[in-house]
Amino acid sequence: MKGSSDIFEVYAVRYGHGGRNRPGNFLGGDSHDVPMPLDYYIWVATNGSLTVVIDTGFTANLAKARNRQLLLPVSMAVRRLGINPDSVEHVILTHLHYDHAGDQAAFPRACFHLQDREMAYATGRCMCHEILRQPFELDNITNILSKVYAGRVMFHDGDTELFPGISVHRIGGHSKGLQVVRIQTQRGHLVIASDAVHFYEHIETNRPFVVVHNVEDMLEGYRRVRSLASSPDHVVPGHDPLVMRRYPKAGPGLEGIAAALHVQPDGRGY
Ligand SMILES: [Zn+2]
Ligand SMILES: [Zn+2]
C-alpha cells in the first residue's frame, strides 16, 4: 500500500524501559505488589511520501535524572527504520511530559503539532502545584516555547484532520491537553493512544492510571478511544510491553526495537 496518500504504515519504536510495580500504575494502588514495568515508545507513520512522527521520547540526561533506561537514542532508533530524522517535517506531540517531549532536538526541521490546552496547562497556574508539574521538565517547555517564537508549532483545539488519513483528538485526563492520533491503515483505523491508555489493562478494566489531571476525562477518554478505533485490536497503548509481543518486528534486526502496527496483531486487543 506504500505510496497511497491516505493509507499509512505505522511503527511503534521502543526506545526506553523502566521498572515499576503494579501499585504504581493504578490510581488507588493494587493488591498485587508484583512487577509491571513500562516500555517507552515513539511512533512513526509513513505512506512513502509523507512521514509523521508521534512524540520525541527522552534524552540520555533525562533518563539518568529520572532513573529510566534509554535503550537507544530516538534519532538512532528512527534511522534504524530507514528514516532520516533531519528530514522529518511533522512531529505530533501527544502531550508535553518529559517522556514524550523530551528530545525535540532529534527532529531539527520539524513543525510540532500540539493542543492549545496542553501549552496553556504546562505554562499556567496548574504548574504552581508540584504534583502536577512533576511529569514535566522546564527545559522541554522552554524548548517548545522557543519553537512557537520560531514559527515551528501548529496549535490545534480538539479534533483536527492534519493530513488525509491522520487526525488528532483531544482527550485530556492524564494531562489537560493530551491528544491521541487516529491513522488510516490497510487494516482500518488505528488509534495511537499514547498516555490516554498506558496499558491494555487500563482500558480493559476501566481503571485510571496513577498520574492524572482529571479522572472523569481519563475514564471518558477510554470510551472515546474505543469509538475512534476500528476495533479493540486497533488501540495502541502508550507504555505496554505487550505491544512488542503482539505485533511483528518492523524488519530484520528490529526485534524489540520496532514493531509494525499496520499488521494484524497476534492475540486479542484490550
Ligand atoms: Zn504522560
Ligand atoms: Zn508517558
Side-chain angles (χ1 to χ4, degrees):
M1 303 299 276
K2 226 170 188 174
S4 178
S5 64
D6 57 355
I7 302 287
F8 287 82
E9 295 181 351
V10 188
Y11 301 96
V13 179
R14 176 176 172 261
Y15 72 90
H17 186 74
R20 197 177 288 189
N21 278 15
R22 284 184 62 84
N25 283 327
F26 296 96
L27 190 64
D30 189 87
S31 55
H32 302 282
D33 194 9
V34 295
M36 188 178 180
L38 283 79
D39 276 343
Y40 291 83
Y41 300 98
I42 66 157
W43 302 269
V44 176
T46 183
N47 66 1
S49 54
L50 172 67
T51 296
V52 176
V53 171
I54 301 165
D55 289 341
T56 72
F58 51 64
T59 60
N61 283 345
L62 279 174
K64 200 173 166 197
R66 299 257 180 176
N67 195 25
R68 305 289 192 268
Q69 188 185 358
L70 181 71
L71 300 171
L72 79 172
V74 162
S75 58
M76 210 178 284
V78 168
R79 279 183 203 282
R80 296 283 293 274
L81 274 177
I83 291 161
N84 178 356
D86 298 346
S87 69
V88 171
E89 294 183 357
H90 296 279
V91 172
I92 298 170
L93 292 177
T94 60
H95 60 308
L96 291 172
H97 287 169
Y98 80 96
D99 53 324
H100 298 262
D103 194 4
Q104 296 165 37
F107 304 99
R109 288 191 53 234
C111 170
F112 287 72
H113 297 263
L114 186 64
Q115 289 281 327
D116 287 322
R117 268 183 222 190
E118 186 65 2
M119 193 66 175
Y121 179 53
T123 54
R125 66 164 63 210
C126 283
M127 294 304 104
C128 298
H129 301 289
E130 203 277 333
I131 193 169
L132 294 178
R133 69 173 177 260
Q134 196 277 336
F136 294 95
E137 283 282 338
L138 179 58
D139 275 357
N140 302 161
I141 307 306
T142 56
N143 281 343
I144 197 70
L145 185 57
S146 68
K147 287 182 182 64
V148 173
Y149 275 71
R152 288 181 57 203
V153 175
M154 275 187 71
F155 285 103
H156 305 287
D157 182 18
D159 302 345
T160 305
E161 185 178 60
L162 300 189
F163 308 101
I166 298 185
S167 55
V168 294
H169 306 267
R170 189 183 63 241
I171 299 287
H174 168 72
S175 189
K176 195 168 186 178
L178 172 71
Q179 59 185 347
V180 301
V181 186
R182 185 175 191 247
I183 307 172
Q184 190 171 342
T185 71
Q186 62 191 4
R187 70 180 183 96
H189 282 100
L190 282 185
V191 173
I192 304 300
S194 182
D195 288 1
V197 180
H198 278 71
F199 289 78
Y200 288 106
E201 187 174 346
H202 286 99
I203 192 166
E204 188 178 288
T205 60
N206 282 313
R207 291 172 71 188
F209 186 69
V210 71
V211 177
V212 57
H213 165 260
N214 181 307
V215 174
E216 179 184 6
D217 288 350
M218 183 178 276
L219 294 173
E220 286 297 313
Y222 294 154
R223 290 191 350 171
R224 182 90 168 105
V225 164
R226 282 187 195 102
S227 72
L228 288 168
S230 289
S231 86
D233 275 343
H234 291 75
V235 174
V236 182
H239 288 280
D240 199 328
L242 273 179
V243 170
M244 297 305 285
R245 279 185 237 144
R246 286 186 175 169
Y247 290 92
K249 65 179 182 232
L254 291 172
E255 185 78 46
I257 296 173
L261 304 175
H262 51 280
V263 178
Q264 188 67 26
D266 287 339
R268 62 192 179 87
Y270 58 78

